[in-house]
Amino acid sequence: MPGWLLSTAVAMLSTASLAGAPAAVDLGAPSSQVMARLGDPLRAWSLPMCSGYRLEMRRDRSLWLKLVFGTDEQLLAAGIFQLAAPARGRPRAALRWNGLVPGAPAHDAYPALTTAWRPWLWSQGAKQWLWLERAEQGGPAHRERYLGGVVVSDASGFAAGRDFPYDVAEAVVSTGLHGDDLRDAAFARPLLAWRQRTPPNAYLEVLSSPPQGANCDPASLVQLDYTDLPRSP
């Protein structure tokens, strides 16, 4: 085969291969499309207590992506996490993953305290803590959106790990305060001050699903846990 003809054939095959992968995958896509667009995961696993779900982790430098697939291998949830603060003088990157539709723009601080976003979850473990707010308005139908902060360890380098008011956060979530009521609550001022000075580093987007027990719903499974990350030697 002449050299020019071989080169043309290779180029055509490459083009066809690229054409087979979608420009970006969205929630609801089959796992085959996700694999074709995003490539192999860094890690994939299932949880014995949550039968039928499969989890995947990917990494791009300090950006981490966690995906949740259902029993039919459909993408149900995506979580994007920035686990290191940007270098001094560099702008904060958006919480987006190349080739994935769900994502959030770069935030220097949390959105204005309105009824559009409300505190949803606060948790603390041996090696991490997590703060999440849920979008009550806007966004695509039949989806849940969450914005928040996660620190996996002191070594993560994320500035939100400093001076987080744990007790206040727990009280705010347990009382269900949000909007004007939260803004006017004197006891919540330490949390509001942290919220104003701290950029979010976690964004979750989830297809709405019926409530499930034992934390086996997609919104719970897509939250980052320190056990999701590769263990350091």
Side-chain angles (χ1 to χ4, degrees):
M1 178 183 293
W4 66 268
L5 187 57
L6 178 61
S7 299
T8 302
V10 170
M12 291 177 65
L13 286 173
S14 299
T15 302
S17 176
L18 289 173
V25 290
D26 199 356
L27 300 184
S31 59
S32 57
Q33 284 189 8
V34 176
M35 184 78 72
R37 183 62 185 87
L38 304 185
D40 294 330
L42 184 66
R43 181 187 173 209
W45 73 103
S46 300
L47 298 174
M49 71 287 292
C50 298
S51 176
Y53 289 105
R54 188 171 59 82
L55 313 178
E56 292 185 356
M57 288 293 296
R58 289 171 171 80
R59 182 181 185 181
D60 182 6
R61 291 166 289 188
S62 62
L63 201 64
W64 293 80
L65 173 67
K66 186 176 184 181
L67 302 178
V68 178
F69 295 88
T71 53
D72 55 358
E73 285 297 309
Q74 182 187 44
L75 180 59
L76 300 179
I80 304 171
F81 310 92
Q82 179 69 254
L83 294 187
R88 180 172 295 181
R90 300 201 55 179
R92 180 163 295 277
L95 292 170
R96 294 190 179 278
W97 191 273
N98 185 34
L100 187 68
V101 173
H107 287 282
D108 292 328
Y110 285 80
L113 199 62
T114 66
T115 55
W117 289 86
R118 65 184 300 168
W120 179 71
L121 180 142
W122 152 242
S123 67
Q124 183 179 12
K127 298 184 180 180
Q128 69 179 53
W129 62 260
L130 181 66
W131 169 262
L132 286 174
E133 301 182 13
R134 177 174 173 168
E136 299 291 300
Q137 302 172 12
H142 309 299
R143 297 196 184 199
E144 302 165 10
R145 297 180 298 131
Y146 305 89
L147 191 66
V150 57
V151 168
V152 174
S153 70
D154 291 338
S156 69
F158 181 58
R162 302 172 189 165
D163 304 322
F164 183 78
Y166 303 100
D167 294 342
V168 177
E170 183 175 0
V172 166
V173 172
S174 63
T175 57
L177 289 178
H178 65 286
D180 292 342
D181 291 336
L182 177 56
R183 185 184 59 209
D184 296 337
F187 82 90
R189 286 172 186 167
L191 178 63
L192 301 183
W194 172 86
R195 191 181 182 276
Q196 186 172 13
R197 69 174 180 264
T198 304
N201 75 334
Y203 176 77
L204 317 178
E205 193 163 314
V206 183
L207 287 180
S208 300
S209 62
Q212 301 176 47
N215 295 323
C216 284
D217 58 288
S220 297
L221 292 174
V222 79
Q223 295 168 25
L224 191 67
D225 186 272
Y226 77 94
T227 58
D228 298 335
L229 309 177
R231 297 184 180 181
S232 44

